[in-house]
Amino acid sequence: MTVDTTSTAGAVAGPRYATRHLIHCPTSWEHYLLDAPSSGEENFVLTGSTPTGHPLFNDGPGLFHDAQAVAEEVREVGEFVGHRYFGVPRERPGLFYRFALSVTDLRAWRAGDAGYSVPPRMTTHLTARPDHVIGGVPRGLTFGVEVRVDDVACCTGTAGLVFLTPALHRNHIEHSRRALRAAPELDDVPDGAGWPVDPAEIGRRAPGNVVVCEPSVSAHGRLTTWVLTRGDNPVFAPSADGQVSGLLLLEALRQTSVLAAGRASGVDADRAVVAGWDVHFRGYAQAGLPLRCVAVPGPLERDSEGRPSVPVTLTVTQHRRAVAEARTSVVQDL
C-alpha cells in the first residue's frame, strides 16, 4: 500500500486474475488524517489489463473480452473496501445481493486481433456509498460502476453488498439447510443424469466450463435446464461454508441466456454478448444439491445499432426455493 497526495493504491491479485491496482481517490483526507472510517461517498479506480489466459473469461471464440470479468472484480474488491475504508469489522463477510450491468458500447469489447502484444487496458471507476449506518458502521454498501476499455466508455452498472455478523451469517446458512431438509415433498431433482450442452451453443470451447444441461422446452417457449456444480473445475469452487459461488451462478445465467436466445431466435452463440444484466440474489444455494434454471426468452428485437437482441427472464431455484432472479439482454454482434 502506498500513499501520495491524490490516492491510495494497492495491488489486487488472485488465482483468477492478473494483477490489478485499486486506487483510492478521496474527496477529503479528513477521515484518514484522523484515522477514522469514512461516513460518506468514496471513489476508487481499479485498473489493469483485460483478462488473458483466464480459464473461463478467455474460453470462447476470442471475438470479445468478457464483460462478466467486471462483476468478478467488483466482487473481489467490494468486501475489502468496506473493511478498509468504512470501518466494517473484518469478521463480517460481505455478500452481494444484487448486480446490474449494461454494455453501452459493444465495439470496445471486441477482441480484434487475437495476436495483440499488449492486451487492452480496462479501467473501472467505483463509487461506494454506505447504507444503513448504525453506530458509525454501515450494514451495506452500494456501488456505482463505470468501465472504460482503452479509454472508451463502454459499460455502466450498480451493485449492492450487505455485511452480516458472523452469527447472523451462520444462522442464515443453517436456516437454509434446515429448510431444504424439512420439506422433502418440495424435493426437485432432474430425471436422470443431466447431459451438458455443446460448448459452442453457449459461447465456450472447454467442456469443463459448461455449467448447464441439455434443456427441455415447453410449447410456450419456456426453457428449463439444470445447473452443473462442476466440482471438477476450481474456477467454480464453492465457498468455505459450502455455498455455490456467485461466479457459478452468474455463468449459469449467462449460458442459459445465450442458449435460450439461440434456441428461440437463432442467435449465433459465438457472436452473442449478454449486454444487459439485472440480477437479484434471493437466497443461499447449497453446493452439491440440484439447481434448476428456467428461462423465458422474449421476442427478437433490435438494439439502437440495429443488432439482433433477445430479452430473457430467468429464475434459479433449489428445492423450489428462489436462489436468483434475473433479466438479461442477449445481443448478437453484426
Side-chain angles (χ1 to χ4, degrees):
M1 187 75 68
T2 61
V3 178
D4 60 28
T5 58
T6 59
S7 67
T8 300
V12 179
R16 302 174 189 173
Y17 267 111
T19 299
R20 317 248 320 139
H21 298 281
L22 180 67
I23 304 169
H24 180 213
C25 308
T27 56
S28 169
W29 281 104
E30 177 182 356
H31 292 286
Y32 306 102
L33 293 174
L34 298 174
D35 196 27
S38 176
S39 59
E41 180 177 291
E42 296 293 338
N43 298 288
F44 303 86
V45 174
L46 191 61
T47 183
S49 63
T50 55
T52 57
H54 191 284
L56 179 66
F57 300 146
N58 295 115
D59 176 34
L63 300 180
F64 305 98
H65 307 294
D66 197 333
Q68 192 173 301
V70 177
E72 185 68 357
E73 68 177 14
V74 174
R75 185 195 66 79
E76 289 189 339
V77 304
E79 190 176 57
F80 169 79
V81 165
H83 293 159
R84 172 65 179 81
Y85 297 99
F86 289 92
V88 177
R90 294 188 179 277
E91 64 270 16
R92 294 185 184 179
L95 304 175
F96 280 97
Y97 63 91
R98 65 182 178 86
F99 170 70
L101 201 67
S102 176
V103 172
T104 56
D105 190 339
L106 187 56
R107 292 167 297 183
W109 294 97
R110 293 172 183 159
D113 182 6
Y116 50 69
S117 58
V118 179
R121 177 162 293 275
M122 186 166 73
T123 305
T124 303
H125 296 263
L126 298 175
T127 301
R129 305 179 186 90
D131 293 329
H132 307 296
V133 179
I134 301 176
V137 178
R139 294 298 186 262
L141 295 175
T142 296
F143 289 93
V145 181
E146 295 182 2
V147 182
R148 290 177 174 266
V149 174
D150 273 353
D151 209 33
V152 177
C154 57
C155 185
T156 61
T158 59
L161 178 68
V162 63
F163 292 93
L164 301 178
T165 64
L168 184 59
H169 183 48
R170 288 193 300 270
N171 287 343
H172 278 317
I173 292 176
E174 286 304 316
H175 175 75
S176 177
R177 289 172 176 167
R178 285 196 300 271
L180 291 175
R181 295 192 299 264
E185 69 277 8
L186 298 181
D187 195 19
D188 190 25
V189 298
D191 296 327
W195 190 262
V197 300
D198 184 339
E201 277 204 272
I202 43 88
R204 296 299 185 197
R205 291 296 182 267
N209 282 333
V210 177
V211 299
V212 295
C213 294
E214 185 65 33
S216 61
V217 181
S218 74
H220 300 288
R222 186 177 72 170
L223 182 148
T224 300
T225 186
W226 294 90
V227 179
L228 301 169
T229 53
R230 300 308 318 210
D232 58 337
N233 189 334
V235 171
F236 301 121
S239 65
D241 49 27
Q243 304 305 301
V244 172
S245 72
L247 178 58
L248 174 59
L249 289 174
L250 285 179
E251 179 62 12
L253 291 170
R254 189 202 69 79
Q255 291 186 14
T256 306
S257 297
V258 173
L259 184 64
R263 295 281 178 101
S265 300
V267 169
D268 183 347
D270 278 357
R271 293 188 290 153
V273 173
V274 178
W277 297 79
D278 188 0
V279 184
H280 288 253
F281 297 102
R282 299 299 191 186
Y284 292 88
Q286 185 71 31
L289 296 179
L291 282 167
R292 180 193 291 268
C293 185
V294 175
V296 180
L300 181 67
E301 303 170 346
R302 297 280 173 175
D303 71 359
S304 60
E305 300 293 327
R307 290 180 286 251
S309 175
V310 179
V312 184
T313 301
L314 306 106
T315 304
V316 178
T317 58
Q318 188 171 68
H319 282 223
R320 308 187 193 279
R321 300 171 68 249
V323 172
E325 297 172 346
R327 292 181 182 273
T328 63
S329 176
V330 181
V331 174
Q332 178 182 297
D333 199 18
L334 298 175

